[in-house]
Amino acid sequence: MEHGWVSGDQQGTWAERCGYVAFGLGVGHAAVSFYWGAGGDWLLDTVGGELERLARERGAGMVALVWGTGTLKLFAAVLGLAVVRRWGRGRWRRVVPALAWTASAVLVLYGGTLVVVQALVELGVIEAAPDVDWQALRWHLYLWDPWFLAWGLLLGAAVWGSARERGDS
């Protein structure tokens, strides 16, 4: 079956490609969390506000939160593979898609809402707080939050596409 400009046999199906890219985006997000959880501070100033301050203080609660967040991101990343690989089916054939749809919805709602609100602030439609950290807002608008949005959209596309390819829809 043809998908795009190459056959499914040459590059995998459309759903598989979405699943693999979703996996990569999720692993990347998790790696950043694990890096910060291990004490790294590169790009930490792009987070801004109270989160940046707490991360720099390295309190036990914040470190646990960052590692927990990284673990959840890694789990959600693996869902991208699970929906398109044979090992994600079998006895998990109902659980994996349900978890992946849930993760996709959370990622799209979170990333999408933040991108829209931040864009409205950047455009002046919504008035920014007097103490807004413009650097952090722009990093969130142009990198961090679209990353969540793209990850969620690709994960959803992988779930939807793999169900259609298997005839589950």
Side-chain angles (χ1 to χ4, degrees):
M1 177 176 210
E2 294 291 322
H3 297 280
W5 73 96
V6 294
S7 75
D9 293 339
Q10 292 172 338
Q11 292 293 324
T13 67
W14 173 82
E16 287 174 332
R17 291 191 298 268
C18 288
Y20 284 118
V21 175
F23 171 73
L25 290 174
V27 167
H29 242 300
V32 171
S33 292
F34 292 140
Y35 168 75
W36 286 338
D41 64 358
W42 183 60
L43 295 178
L44 194 55
D45 60 331
T46 67
V47 175
E50 190 68 8
L51 283 176
E52 178 187 354
R53 185 187 67 75
L54 291 170
R56 289 189 187 285
E57 288 178 1
R58 307 258 327 127
M62 186 60 168
V63 170
L65 179 66
V66 172
W67 278 93
T69 302
T71 301
L72 284 173
K73 289 175 181 178
L74 193 57
F75 177 77
V78 170
L79 289 172
L81 292 182
V83 297
V84 298
R85 303 304 305 160
R86 183 163 304 169
W87 53 264
R89 297 178 186 141
R91 73 175 122 165
W92 301 104
R93 74 182 172 278
R94 296 197 196 314
V95 174
V96 168
L99 289 173
W101 276 124
T102 301
S104 173
V106 168
L107 291 164
V108 168
L109 288 171
Y110 179 77
T113 300
L114 291 175
V115 166
V116 168
V117 170
Q118 292 156 358
L120 292 173
V121 170
E122 177 80 345
L123 293 170
V125 175
I126 296 176
E127 187 174 338
D131 62 342
V132 69
D133 179 344
W134 286 102
Q135 175 184 325
L137 182 133
R138 289 179 178 130
W139 273 89
H140 280 272
L141 173 59
Y142 297 115
L143 176 67
W144 301 123
D145 300 327
W147 191 347
F148 280 115
L149 178 58
W151 176 17
L153 290 171
L154 285 162
L155 181 57
V159 180
W160 181 75
S162 66
R164 283 186 48 115
E165 289 168 2
R166 288 191 317 270
D168 295 347
S169 57

